[in-house]
Amino acid sequence: MELTNEKIAQAKKYNAKIFPIYKLFAWDFLFYYSISFLFLTQNKGLTASQVLFAEAFYPIFKLLSQIPCVNIIEILGKRKSLILGNVCVAFGILVLILGSGLSSAILFNIITAFGYSIKAICEGTILTDFVEGQEHSRTLYSNIDGKGSAYWYFADGITAFFCGFIYVFNNYLPIILCLVSAVIGTLISLKFMPYEDSNVKTTIEETKSFKAYFKDLRVAFKHIFKSDRLKALILFSGMFYALLTVRSTIASSLFTEIGVKEEYFGIIFAVLTVLSGISSKYQDYFHRKYRNKLLTNFLLTFSISMVVIGLAAIISNNFVFTIIIILLAYAAQYIIKGPYYTLQKRYLNSFTSPSMSTKIFSADILIEGIFGTLMYWVSSFLLSFINTSTAITILGCIFTIAFIFVLDYMRTRIGLKPEEYKKSDIYFTEVH
């Protein structure tokens, strides 16, 4: 059936209308993160080291699958590709439920990484296609996308709160509910109306194929290597992302080690997530209050809190005192996490044109994926020889020392006034 301009507009409008409900179920896992470590160690027979080793396959395969994913989207179109991505996520969860041992955990991470790579591209473009050309398009995009995010955070908080109790009732029930939510997300994706002309191939500029992707990276790294400011920011971003990637898994391992009851896992992570959500709303306050000291405060607070967490678990024999110190330290980490991603994009986007910022973000994602994978492997290696509290202490000390050198490098390169930067730091804004 031929798609008229009126039908295309109706389809886009309908897709935007159901997008927030879709995002509620499909943006990320529900019923999973707060009990994933318990499920993998108690029901799949993995050690803490093996859990981290398996999870290392997620960032590296999400990174590697970016290029083939954009070509799949070129062939299938955005709607069919979105459905495929959601099917992959649901299938990955099913593999985890039915499989056993390390192999099923690795396969789960590989399949879901592929699925989320497709989804990450399609979800944004489907919404962008609706708001394109409309008045206040950026505000409209943010409102629709933000509404879906709010739905998901609300659902994640509720499900996380009860997840520990559900897990105690039946170890497999939270993962089954995770699968159910993924299936619902898949069914809603089937409801998205087609609006693309099957006779017209999507342009390279729209989907970024092999050549465009590597060209963007080459241009980005050319400017990064010439800009001391960008080199410092990318280095900071990669190191900080490495810490954030393993945070929840190592926290779950530590809670198990010090004797936190399973039913309280969900409550702890629900409260921490709420703190992160609240702090994310105050990202501008953090920026205005700390200015060029913000990244320094974030880095050192995060790494030193790791040392505090590890030492509290090692030294203290009083459970109540230990858990209070550990939870306060984790609260500080989650408060930092909330505004970090928004502020990171803000700083990377400074002094760049829209087209150049896209290339810089691509390079940043690549660096983060490499650092994140290495962090998983290092953490997995440490946990194969020592306990979690000792590993956290060692990692905290290493990163604190490393961050001191990184911050010293950043001191004369970031947070300056525009006139204080070298031309090589901002000249690429003139490139069109």
Side-chain angles (χ1 to χ4, degrees):
M1 185 174 65
E2 185 180 353
L3 290 172
T4 63
N5 289 336
E6 183 180 355
K7 288 180 178 178
I8 291 173
Q10 289 176 348
K12 290 181 178 181
K13 185 176 181 180
Y14 177 78
N15 292 346
K17 183 179 179 181
I18 66 171
F19 187 85
I21 304 299
Y22 162 79
K23 194 168 184 178
L24 163 62
F25 292 98
W27 189 28
D28 203 350
F29 295 131
L30 294 172
F31 297 98
Y32 180 74
Y33 292 108
S34 61
I35 54 85
S36 61
F37 181 83
L38 292 172
F39 180 78
L40 291 170
T41 54
Q42 296 182 0
N43 299 279
K44 298 302 176 181
L46 273 61
T47 64
S49 174
Q50 288 175 324
V51 171
L52 286 165
F53 179 77
E55 289 182 350
F57 285 85
Y58 183 85
I60 194 66
F61 268 86
K62 192 172 182 182
L63 188 66
L64 293 174
S65 61
Q66 279 188 17
I67 303 173
C69 281
V70 295
N71 286 271
I72 289 172
I73 295 168
E74 288 175 348
I75 296 169
L76 297 181
K78 298 167 191 173
R79 178 180 174 273
K80 291 180 180 178
S81 297
L82 183 65
I83 295 168
L84 174 62
N86 281 287
V87 169
C88 287
V89 171
F91 180 68
I93 300 169
L94 184 63
V95 167
L96 185 64
I97 293 173
L98 300 178
S100 60
L102 181 61
S103 58
S104 67
I106 292 174
L107 193 57
F108 159 75
N109 280 286
I110 291 174
I111 295 172
T112 54
F114 179 74
Y116 276 116
S117 288
I118 295 178
K119 280 158 53 65
I121 299 169
C122 293
E123 288 167 351
T125 53
I126 283 175
L127 194 53
T128 300
D129 288 343
F130 167 67
V131 303
E132 188 177 15
Q134 299 197 42
E135 189 177 1
H136 307 300
S137 59
R138 290 185 179 181
T139 302
L140 183 59
Y141 182 100
S142 299
N143 288 341
I144 298 171
D145 190 55
K147 188 177 182 180
S149 300
Y151 285 166
W152 184 88
Y153 278 119
F154 182 72
D156 184 50
I158 294 175
T159 57
F161 187 88
F162 292 104
C163 213
F165 296 101
I166 297 172
Y167 179 82
V168 171
F169 175 75
N170 185 302
N171 290 176
Y172 275 81
L173 188 54
I175 308 300
I176 293 172
L177 291 173
C178 179
L179 174 61
V180 170
S181 64
V183 170
I184 293 173
T186 304
L187 293 175
I188 296 175
S189 70
L190 289 167
K191 289 288 186 179
F192 282 114
M193 296 176 66
Y195 59 88
E196 297 172 280
D197 189 342
S198 58
N199 296 319
V200 179
K201 291 199 72 175
T202 309
T203 62
I204 289 177
E205 288 77 14
E206 184 178 359
T207 60
K208 295 187 179 298
S209 64
F210 282 98
K211 291 182 180 179
Y213 178 78
F214 285 113
K215 181 181 178 181
D216 283 354
L217 284 181
R218 187 169 62 251
V219 172
F221 278 111
K222 177 183 176 182
H223 291 303
I224 288 168
F225 288 135
K226 288 182 178 180
S227 169
D228 290 336
R229 176 183 168 276
L230 281 178
K231 279 189 287 187
L233 275 176
I234 295 290
L235 177 62
F236 167 88
S237 181
M239 292 183 67
F240 202 50
Y241 179 82
L243 284 181
L244 291 173
T245 54
V246 299
R247 184 193 65 262
S248 61
T249 302
I250 288 185
S252 296
S253 180
L254 181 66
F255 291 150
T256 302
E257 187 177 285
I258 64 177
V260 175
K261 291 183 178 180
E262 297 162 353
E263 54 264 40
Y264 296 133
F265 272 57
I267 297 175
I268 291 172
F269 282 109
V271 172
L272 292 174
T273 301
V274 168
L275 287 175
S276 192
I278 293 172
S279 68
S280 67
K281 295 181 179 180
Y282 294 93
Q283 52 88 16
D284 196 54
Y285 165 79
F286 283 103
H287 172 72
R288 285 185 285 103
K289 182 175 177 62
Y290 296 107
R291 294 292 177 180
N292 60 344
K293 297 292 183 182
L294 177 67
L295 298 182
T296 300
N297 291 335
F298 273 13
L299 272 176
L300 292 181
T301 300
F302 203 101
S303 59
I304 292 173
S305 68
M306 289 183 66
V307 179
V308 171
I309 290 168
L311 290 179
I314 294 170
I315 297 172
S316 176
N317 293 320
N318 186 308
F319 176 78
V320 175
F321 175 79
T322 302
I323 197 67
I324 289 174
I325 295 299
I326 288 174
L327 290 180
L328 287 174
Y330 274 123
Q333 291 186 5
Y334 274 77
I335 288 171
I336 289 171
K337 177 204 169 191
Y340 167 70
Y341 287 113
T342 301
L343 291 171
Q344 176 217 27
K345 290 180 180 178
R346 179 174 182 167
Y347 298 149
L348 285 172
N349 202 35
S350 298
F351 307 118
T352 66
S353 62
S355 60
M356 192 63 217
S357 65
T358 302
K359 297 175 177 61
I360 291 172
F361 286 141
S362 296
D364 183 62
I365 290 170
L366 175 64
I367 297 300
E368 286 183 347
I370 293 171
F371 273 75
T373 302
L374 290 174
M375 184 63 175
Y376 270 118
W377 285 340
V378 169
S379 301
S380 173
F381 176 77
L382 285 175
L383 289 178
S384 64
F385 293 100
I386 56 180
N387 61 25
T388 307
S389 54
T390 306
I392 291 175
T393 306
I394 292 173
L395 288 172
C397 290
I398 291 173
F399 272 90
T400 300
I401 295 170
F403 284 154
I404 289 173
F405 286 102
V406 171
L407 291 170
D408 183 64
Y409 177 77
M410 293 168 59
R411 185 169 51 84
T412 57
R413 295 169 173 84
I414 296 177
L416 308 179
K417 296 177 181 178
E419 62 271 15
E420 293 177 327
Y421 283 109
K422 296 187 299 183
K423 288 185 178 180
S424 59
D425 285 323
I426 56 177
Y427 82 98
F428 46 76
T429 55
E430 300 173 5
V431 177
H432 297 286

